[in-house]
Amino acid sequence: MFLLSTTLLKGELLRKEYTGGAGGYGSQDNKEYVDFMKQIIKKEFRSGNYVVNGVADFFILINEETK
């Protein structure tokens, strides 16, 4: 799991470029999936559209500047 931090600004979008190369597979996965994941791990993306699911946890620091 990654732990990253950034400051979000009200009204501004946050976009981050994926620079990962992380992934995994198991002995029960089919060959096509294993080959695909090996490419992703090496950062060799096939052409196409990808759907990526993620999770974000937020911590809000309240101080005199953020009130």
Side-chain angles (χ1 to χ4, degrees):
M1 177 189 258
F2 294 82
L3 295 177
L4 303 173
S5 66
T6 190
T7 301
L8 300 175
L9 300 174
K10 185 176 182 176
E12 291 190 24
L13 296 176
L14 174 67
R15 290 185 181 229
K16 294 284 185 178
E17 182 177 331
Y18 178 76
T19 57
Y25 54 88
S27 60
Q28 300 298 316
D29 292 320
N30 66 48
K31 183 181 180 336
E32 182 179 325
Y33 179 77
V34 171
D35 291 345
F36 174 76
M37 289 310 302
K38 285 180 178 179
Q39 285 184 303
I40 295 297
I41 291 167
K42 293 188 293 186
K43 299 181 182 180
E44 297 173 355
F45 293 89
R46 296 177 186 172
S47 296
N49 295 314
Y50 293 83
V51 176
V52 179
N53 296 312
V55 176
D57 289 320
F58 293 90
F59 171 78
I60 300 172
L61 177 62
I62 297 176
N63 59 33
E64 289 302 315
E65 294 177 13
T66 59
K67 284 186 179 180

